[in-house]
Amino acid sequence: MSRYTGKLGELHSAYTRVVSLWPVDKLRPSHCYKNVLNQQMNLKFEKLSTIHGTQLNQELDRIEQEITALNNLVKSKYRFQNKVSEDITNPASHRGYYTKLLE
């Protein structure tokens, strides 16, 4: 349960949800970006709980944009919009290199 109320509580819940969906890095499982996002989130929301007025509204709008961007990354939206060519993902000099890294 979130200790924040109103709009701040809604955003905290949304941020927590999107961070929980963040995938584990198969190449560097010991370096978890999910932990970095959690720490960053905690710092942001502690700061937000102390400000009021128009500054708070501006920060809330910015956090909404961050949550949208994180959701898009989790859902691989940009991956499908910007396809990487086969020449890059499977170079002639070392066929299957990137595929083997992820196995």
Side-chain angles (χ1 to χ4, degrees):
M1 183 94 187
S2 175
R3 63 186 180 144
Y4 304 104
T5 58
K7 181 76 169 181
L8 194 57
E10 291 174 25
L11 290 176
H12 187 268
S13 296
Y15 209 113
T16 302
R17 187 188 66 73
V18 75
V19 168
S20 72
L21 297 173
W22 198 266
V24 175
D25 187 346
K26 293 179 183 177
L27 296 178
R28 294 169 300 244
S30 61
H31 293 84
C32 186
Y33 191 61
K34 186 184 288 193
N35 293 339
V36 173
L37 288 172
N38 270 322
Q39 291 171 349
Q40 189 178 34
M41 175 186 67
N42 290 334
L43 291 173
K44 283 180 190 177
F45 282 91
E46 284 299 319
K47 178 185 168 194
L48 287 175
S49 65
T50 63
I51 60 176
H52 303 287
T54 57
Q55 185 182 5
L56 177 62
N57 290 334
Q58 290 171 347
E59 290 297 318
L60 293 178
D61 289 342
R62 192 177 59 77
I63 297 249
E64 282 180 335
Q65 291 173 351
E66 284 182 28
I67 292 170
T68 300
L70 288 171
N71 269 319
N72 289 340
L73 288 170
V74 166
K75 294 176 183 175
S76 298
K77 176 182 177 182
Y78 304 116
R79 180 181 190 184
F80 299 121
Q81 284 181 350
N82 305 302
K83 296 262 186 205
V84 179
S85 75
E86 183 76 17
D87 294 337
I88 293 173
T89 60
N90 199 14
S93 62
H94 206 305
R95 294 274 178 215
Y97 176 74
Y98 294 107
T99 306
K100 290 177 187 172
L101 279 177
L102 297 175
E103 289 177 348

